[in-house]
């Protein structure tokens, strides 16, 4: 049987950063359902936030300001001890990435260039043109190869083996060889990324189906703050593909059908660079109240000039041209909000440990530390993958060094084999793709930017009905080799499970905070709702509980931009 000390599920930025750190001391392997270089991290465009000493003081920036902006951005739901670590450790981590060979864009004087980003008080987002994630992913992969970390690419994890809350290993579907494999390990670190694919319009890759969340939930881990889903204001109309906040950071602005810069009415100080929840609601309100153009508004970059666009936003130029036929040096880009980021996830402490379990760790977008609270600031997510990926890697290595391998339950593999066989041989009439489309389009409508009791209740009932229909799906591919239909069905099961949690959390939370906006409860209610949601698996769906927010130095204030 394959055995490693530590298994990392996920080869994105968080997984690889953790592997590099842990791999110095223990036997670590990365299991990834797609090749690591195809992870969604590679799609990140705009940049990674950090206050770089030596320069920050010149523009008035400080670590304190980054912390304050992040706490305010989180609408005071972020845990402040974790936020302080995120911001304080950022400069050191950027230096490490730079030394590893990450090609950050530079100023004429040779400094790492930094641009403005939404919700940040100063230009502190380090970038590599508009391909920052791609560059960082390549850099970490090269380092991982140099360190000879074992990778299992195109191995799809289908189940965890956890007994008495102690990790023993996992079962993965090796797609190329068409086999189910058990891998034993002393510890597992989740780095499985986000879940944007629960929504019809999303900036997320097809692989972002929240598998890690569903696996952890079924193993008894409660999921935290799942109702907080970030909608990015500028998705390409109809496609949802991201047009980076960096485009507004470079000076692009938003206009409605009358050519009005409408952000003046919503965030007079920060305008287009207010935080994402604020700008997304503004864009959607313009569209809903008839000031959009056929369901979209415009992002105008023309005044930036061709030279700047082609040097700093060339990918945006490509995307608009390839998918919408728009040359953004000549015409404005049609945009609408797009489901983008999951603030919630697997709860961890500041060292990536999942409370209540031995040998379980999580980092990156699938984790909820929680540094983003109710709304994440741009540039802080890649930063989270690097800072907390490193920290979790260190602690996971320490853990496995002082632990022994636990015995495996004999039925781990047969149970999963039986489930997969049942799914493949089921001759039902339902089709996974149809169920997905119905779920996704309704999540956008009923559990999207604006929510209310009626829409959420309907969504809750629809998910129960879709789960019933799921039992009756029939696959047309009955083989085991590269069965993508099987993968889609497994992913859909995950999406159905955690969508139910998003809706349950959103229905219960009778207030508006950050990305969670209830039209029937329009105000933030600190007295009753200044707390994190925890959703446990129950017999009839999620069972909710709550835990306090960690406040160190910043008391909640009214949030205006
Ligand atoms: C279009 C776009 C642009 C963005 N731009 C920025 C930006 O400019 N700045 C910023 O800070 N943030 C940005 N973000 C957010 C940020 O990129 C992500 O939050 C972050 O990169 C996630 O990294 P990760 O390592 O947690 O997950 P990912 O990079 O998503 O990797 C997840 C990994 O998990 C693996 N996996 C998942 N399920 C399984 C399974 N069942 N079995 C085996 N493996 C599995 C996948 O194979 C993959 O390797 C952007 C996000 C998007 C979508």
């Amino acid at each position: 049987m394959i055995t490693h000390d530590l298994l990392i599920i996920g080869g994105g930025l968080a997984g690889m950063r953790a592997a590099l750190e842990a791999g110095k001391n223990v036997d670590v392997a990365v299991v990834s359902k797609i090749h690591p270089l195809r992870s969604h991290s590679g799609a990140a465009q705009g940049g990674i936030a950090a206050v770089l000493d030596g320069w920050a003081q010149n523009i008035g920036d400080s670590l304190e300001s980054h912390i304050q902006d992040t706490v305010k951005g989180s609408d005071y739901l972020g845990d402040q001890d974790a936020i302080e670590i995120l911001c304080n450790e950022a400069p050191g981590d950027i230096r490490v990435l730079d030394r590893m060979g990450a090609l950050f864009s530079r100023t004429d004087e040779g400094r790492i260039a930094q641009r403005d980003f939404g919700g940040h008080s100063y230009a502190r987002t380090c970038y590599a043109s508009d391909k920052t994630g791609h560059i960082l992913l390549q850099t970490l992969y090269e380092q991982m190869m140099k360190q000879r970390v074992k990778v299992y690419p195109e191995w799809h994890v289908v189940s965890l083996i956890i007994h008495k809350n102690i990790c023993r290993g996992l079962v993965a579907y090796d797609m190329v060889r068409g086999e189910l494999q058990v891998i034993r390990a002393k510890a597992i670190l989740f780095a499985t990324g986000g879940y944007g694919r629960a929504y019809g319009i999303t900036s997320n890759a097809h692989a972002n189906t929240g598998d890690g969340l569903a696996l952890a939930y079924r193993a008894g881990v409660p999921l935290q703050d799942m109702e907080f889903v970030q909608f990015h204001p500028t998705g390409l109309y109809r496609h949802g593909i991201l047009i980076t906040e960096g485009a507004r950071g470079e000076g692009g602005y938003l206009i409605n059908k009358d050519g009005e810069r409408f952000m003046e009415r919503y965030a007079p100080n920060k305008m287009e660079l207010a935080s994402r929840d604020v700008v997304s609601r503004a864009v959607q309100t313009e569209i809903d109240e008839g000031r959009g153009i056929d369901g979209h508004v415009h992002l105008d970059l023309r005044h930036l000039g061709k030279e700047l666009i082609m040097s700093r936003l060339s990918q945006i130029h490509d995307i608009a041209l390839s998918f919408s036929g728009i040359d953004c040096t000549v015409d404005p880009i049609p945009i609408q909000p797009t489901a983008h980021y999951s603030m919630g996830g697997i709860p961890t402490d500041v060292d990536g440990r999942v409370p209540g379990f031995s040998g379980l760790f999580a980092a990156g977008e699938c984790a909820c530390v929680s540094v983003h609270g109710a709304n994440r600031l741009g540039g802080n997510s890649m930063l989270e993958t690097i800072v907390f990926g490193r920290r979790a890697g260190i602690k996971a290595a320490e853990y496995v060094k002082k632990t022994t391998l636990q015995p495996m339950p004999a039925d781990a593999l047969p149970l999963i084999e039986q489930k997969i066989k049942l799914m493949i041989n089921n001759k039902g009439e339902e089709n996974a793709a149809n169920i997905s489309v119905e779920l996704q389009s309704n999540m956008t409508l009923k559990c999207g930017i604006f929510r209310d009791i009626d829409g959420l209740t309907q969504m809750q009932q629809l998910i129960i009905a879709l789960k019933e229909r799921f039992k009756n799906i029939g696959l047309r591919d009955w083989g085991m080799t590269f069965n993508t239909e099987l993968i889609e069905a497994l992913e859909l099961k995950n999406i159905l499970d955690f969508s139910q949690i998003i809706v349950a959390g959103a229905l219960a939370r009778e207030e508006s905070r950050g990305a969670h906006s209830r039209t029937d409860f329009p105000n933030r209610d600190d007295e009753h709702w200044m707390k994190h949601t925890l959703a446990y698996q129950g017999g009839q769906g999620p069972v909710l509980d709550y835990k306090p927010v960690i406040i160190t130095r910043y008391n909640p204030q009214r949030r205006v931009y």
Side-chain angles (χ1 to χ4, degrees):
M1 190 181 298
I2 307 170
T3 304
H4 293 281
D5 283 337
L6 170 65
L7 285 176
I8 297 178
I9 315 179
L13 288 178
M16 292 208 280
R17 188 67 191 85
L20 281 177
E21 212 54 46
K24 289 178 190 164
N25 296 308
V26 299
D27 165 31
V28 49
V30 172
V31 186
S32 183
K33 69 176 180 180
I34 47 178
H35 189 279
L37 288 177
R38 298 181 62 216
S39 301
H40 186 65
S41 291
Q45 302 168 351
I48 174 165
V51 173
L52 299 184
D53 27 84
W55 170 252
Q57 295 78 355
N58 295 352
I59 54 169
D61 199 2
S62 62
L63 293 171
E64 185 62 22
S65 168
H66 191 186
I67 296 167
Q68 274 173 8
D69 288 346
T70 305
V71 171
K72 176 180 172 186
S74 81
D75 219 348
Y76 298 91
L77 195 76
D79 285 331
Q80 296 179 9
D81 56 341
I83 293 176
E84 295 199 25
I85 290 173
L86 178 84
C87 302
N88 287 334
E89 296 187 2
D93 272 307
I94 297 291
R95 270 197 300 276
V96 171
L97 290 170
D98 192 34
R99 282 192 207 127
M100 282 179 184
L103 290 171
F104 286 111
S105 295
R106 301 269 164 183
T107 63
D108 291 343
E109 307 86 58
R111 276 186 299 105
I112 291 178
Q114 288 173 291
R115 57 166 52 127
D116 264 325
F117 244 51
H120 290 279
S121 301
Y122 298 93
R124 60 168 78 105
T125 305
C126 312
Y127 59 93
S129 181
D130 56 358
K131 305 168 188 67
T132 316
H134 177 79
I135 297 285
L136 296 185
L137 201 64
Q138 300 284 335
T139 305
L140 292 189
Y141 188 70
E142 286 164 12
Q143 296 295 319
M144 215 172 60
M145 291 299 99
K146 183 173 143 198
Q147 215 170 293
R148 299 189 186 282
V149 173
K150 173 75 184 161
V151 178
Y152 296 93
E154 297 181 329
W155 284 46
H156 189 112
V157 178
V158 290
S159 182
L160 305 178
I161 308 173
I162 292 177
H163 189 56
K164 295 190 174 154
N165 285 12
I166 305 174
C167 166
R168 301 174 189 232
L170 53 78
V171 182
Y173 166 38
D174 171 0
M175 292 179 241
V176 179
R177 287 165 203 85
E179 290 165 357
L180 288 172
Q181 293 275 8
V182 176
I183 313 185
R184 280 184 85 178
K186 296 178 190 169
I188 288 176
L189 193 155
F190 290 95
T192 47
Y195 57 66
R197 285 281 150 185
Y199 287 85
I201 296 285
T202 175
S203 66
N204 279 204
H206 285 276
N208 286 15
T209 52
D211 302 353
L213 304 180
L215 291 172
Y217 180 64
R218 285 179 210 132
V221 177
L223 297 184
Q224 184 174 327
D225 292 340
M226 291 288 287
E227 62 269 35
F228 296 101
V229 181
Q230 177 163 82
F231 290 82
H232 193 292
T234 56
L236 193 63
Y237 178 51
R238 285 190 201 282
H239 301 281
I241 301 170
L242 192 77
I243 305 294
T244 174
E245 196 162 84
R248 282 170 284 136
E250 295 293 346
Y253 46 69
L254 296 166
I255 48 180
N256 62 17
K257 79 171 181 352
D258 305 316
E260 179 203 9
R261 271 184 82 177
F262 56 84
M263 282 312 298
E264 262 166 20
R265 281 185 276 115
Y266 300 90
N269 299 320
K270 292 290 282 180
M271 298 286 287
E272 283 83 1
L273 290 177
S275 83
R276 285 183 184 165
D277 54 337
V278 175
V279 184
S280 287
R281 279 193 289 273
V283 170
Q284 197 59 48
T285 304
E286 291 299 297
I287 296 170
D288 292 348
E289 293 182 355
R291 291 184 295 279
I293 311 115
D294 294 336
H296 66 262
V297 298
H298 278 142
L299 171 64
D300 200 344
L301 305 182
R302 292 173 294 185
H303 55 286
L304 301 180
K306 194 165 182 171
E307 200 187 318
L308 185 143
I309 291 175
M310 297 318 277
S311 65
R312 293 195 210 161
L313 300 167
S314 65
Q315 188 179 189
I316 296 311
H317 183 265
D318 268 4
I319 289 172
L321 197 59
S322 307
F323 290 89
S324 297
I326 300 282
D327 177 350
C328 66
T329 62
V330 179
D331 290 304
I333 307 176
I335 57 100
Q336 72 182 120
T338 183
H340 183 59
Y341 185 81
S342 26
M343 267 77 72
I346 301 169
T348 71
D349 67 11
V350 295
D351 289 311
R353 286 178 283 239
V354 179
F357 287 80
S358 300
L360 274 198
F361 297 80
E365 189 167 342
C366 71
C368 185
V369 186
S370 125
V371 284
H372 310 302
N375 171 69
R376 160 173 89 81
L377 293 190
N380 271 357
S381 167
M382 279 202 278
L383 180 61
E384 180 193 8
T385 66
I386 300 295
V387 170
F388 290 97
R390 170 177 53 75
R391 291 176 67 98
I394 293 172
K395 289 296 161 189
E398 280 175 19
Y399 171 84
V400 300
K401 269 183 160 176
K402 36 176 215 229
T403 330
T404 50
L405 271 174
Q406 297 290 314
M408 287 293 255
D411 59 352
L413 185 60
L415 272 178
I416 297 300
E417 273 174 341
Q418 205 182 356
K419 272 192 193 163
I420 300 278
K421 229 181 236 162
L422 270 178
M423 201 176 246
I424 290 188
N425 295 331
N426 202 8
K427 298 283 180 292
E429 284 151 14
E430 289 287 354
N431 170 315
N434 292 343
I435 299 179
S436 285
V437 170
E438 199 166 333
L439 177 81
Q440 291 162 336
S441 54
N442 279 288
M443 282 295 280
T444 301
L445 280 175
K446 301 190 172 108
C447 191
I449 297 181
F450 293 112
R451 303 156 172 193
D452 65 19
I453 188 167
D454 294 339
L456 290 170
T457 311
Q458 286 165 18
M459 196 63 221
Q460 201 174 33
Q461 283 151 6
L462 178 65
I463 294 176
I464 293 171
L466 292 176
K467 283 183 129 182
E468 272 309 304
R469 280 175 55 191
F470 181 84
K471 291 181 186 157
N472 195 28
I473 59 166
L475 307 192
R476 280 156 301 173
D477 183 348
W478 302 324
M480 274 301 278
T481 310
F482 236 103
N483 189 337
T484 50
E485 214 190 356
L486 171 66
I487 299 276
E488 276 165 33
L490 290 167
E491 290 174 340
L492 172 60
K493 187 165 180 350
N494 295 338
I495 298 181
L496 283 166
D497 274 356
F498 68 73
S499 294
Q500 200 172 25
I501 305 172
I502 299 175
V503 175
L507 193 55
R509 189 173 279 276
E510 295 185 332
E511 66 158 353
S512 289
R513 181 187 298 270
H516 171 67
S517 182
R518 288 277 302 251
T519 51
D520 43 357
F521 296 95
N523 298 319
R524 194 176 85 196
D525 176 357
D526 287 340
E527 195 189 328
H528 300 102
W529 289 104
M530 184 78 175
K531 54 188 179 186
H532 296 293
T533 307
L534 289 175
Y536 291 83
Q537 176 169 260
Q540 308 295 321
V543 177
L544 302 184
D545 194 6
Y546 295 91
K547 71 172 187 184
V549 175
I550 298 173
I551 295 181
T552 55
R553 294 186 285 140
Y554 309 93
N555 287 323
Q557 315 260 326
R558 206 166 79 84
R559 187 163 158 259
V560 280
Y561 286 98

